[in-house]
Every structure is written in C-alpha cells, then in structure tokens.
C-alpha cells in the first residue's frame, strides 16, 4: 500500500502561481513514477505531468508545457507541481498518483491516488 497526501491548492487569479505538494508513504519502493492528474466538474480525469523516481525524467501534457514544472525529492518521498501563468481552464481538483509504469498518462495506469486538492483560477 502507498499513501499519498496532497497540499497546496487554493484560489488564485489568472496569471498567478501555486505550488502543489504530495507526500508519499508506505511501500513507495514499488512505484516507478509519480504523476499529477486533474479533474474539472463534468469532465474526465486527465493527465497533467509525471516524473520517474530514479532518473527524474519528466513528461507533460501539451497544455501545461512551459507553465508547470514537476519535481521530486527522493529523500523526503515528496513530489511537487509548480504551476505558473495559471489560466481559468486550469481550474480542477488535482490528484497525486503513483504508478509502476514509466509515465502513466491514463487513470487506468495508476496504482494509487491521493485524495485531491482543489485549484481555482479566477479570470
């Protein structure tokens, strides 16, 4: 079992920044990568970014490239998502996830989920 706890969501104006954090505990050695997904009301959960624990290789969905940065701290078992130049369309619940796959880009490839944290971007 892996437990994931997110923090850092909130309300921000368009163009602003937020930093999300995810603390992992439990059998984290069974995970190859960490990822962030998001889900807006009435929409399906979608991939945002992923990072491998070992090499720190990253992967992003096109809509956040150049604005979001995913990073990890192996010693603390934490993953962060720095979100800059936020847009109203970034409004969603953001979920931390872990996977045994290299870059889980669909919810079906995720093994464990966090409880989610709300990000709201006002125009």
């Amino acid at each position: 079992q892996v437990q994931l706890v997110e923090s850092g969501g909130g309300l921000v104006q368009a163009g602003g920044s937020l930093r999300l954090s995810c603390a992992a505990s439990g059998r984290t050695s069974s995970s190859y990568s960490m990822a962030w997904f998001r889900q807006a009301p009435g929409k399906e959960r979608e991939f945002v970014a992923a990072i491998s624990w070992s090499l720190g290789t990253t992967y992003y969905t096109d809509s956040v490239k150049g604005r979001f940065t995913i990073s990890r701290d192996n010693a603390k078992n934490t993953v962060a998502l720095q979100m800059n130049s936020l847009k109203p369309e970034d409004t969603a619940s953001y979920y931390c996830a872990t996977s045994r796959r290299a870059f889980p880009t669909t919810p079906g490839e995720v093994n464990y989920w966090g409880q989610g944290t709300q990000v709201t971007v006002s125009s």
Side-chain angles (χ1 to χ4, degrees):
Q1 287 278 358
V2 176
Q3 293 78 41
L4 304 172
V5 178
E6 302 102 332
S7 61
L11 172 65
V12 65
Q13 288 188 334
S17 299
L18 280 175
R19 183 177 178 86
L20 306 182
S21 294
C22 175
S25 60
R27 294 187 61 187
T28 57
S29 60
S30 65
S31 302
Y32 185 90
S33 62
M34 298 291 291
W36 288 93
F37 284 71
R38 65 187 179 187
Q39 187 168 19
K43 295 189 176 181
E44 294 185 351
R45 192 167 295 189
E46 65 174 3
F47 169 78
V48 176
I51 188 168
S52 65
W53 276 120
S54 58
L55 298 178
T57 308
T58 59
Y59 183 70
Y60 299 91
T61 192
D62 286 345
S63 63
V64 307
K65 285 180 180 177
R67 300 189 299 123
F68 291 10
T69 303
I70 188 171
S71 60
R72 92 273 192 243
D73 185 330
N74 289 32
K76 297 181 179 179
N77 278 348
T78 58
V79 175
L81 185 68
Q82 178 66 42
M83 304 184 295
N84 299 328
S85 302
L86 282 161
K87 305 175 181 180
E89 51 263 43
D90 294 319
T91 295
S93 291
Y94 282 71
Y95 296 88
C96 180
T98 183
S99 174
R100 300 184 184 94
R101 298 177 66 96
F103 293 117
T105 58
T106 65
E109 297 172 315
V110 170
N111 296 108
Y112 296 98
W113 294 99
Q115 81 286 355
T117 185
Q118 180 65 35
V119 171
T120 302
V121 184
S122 63
S123 57

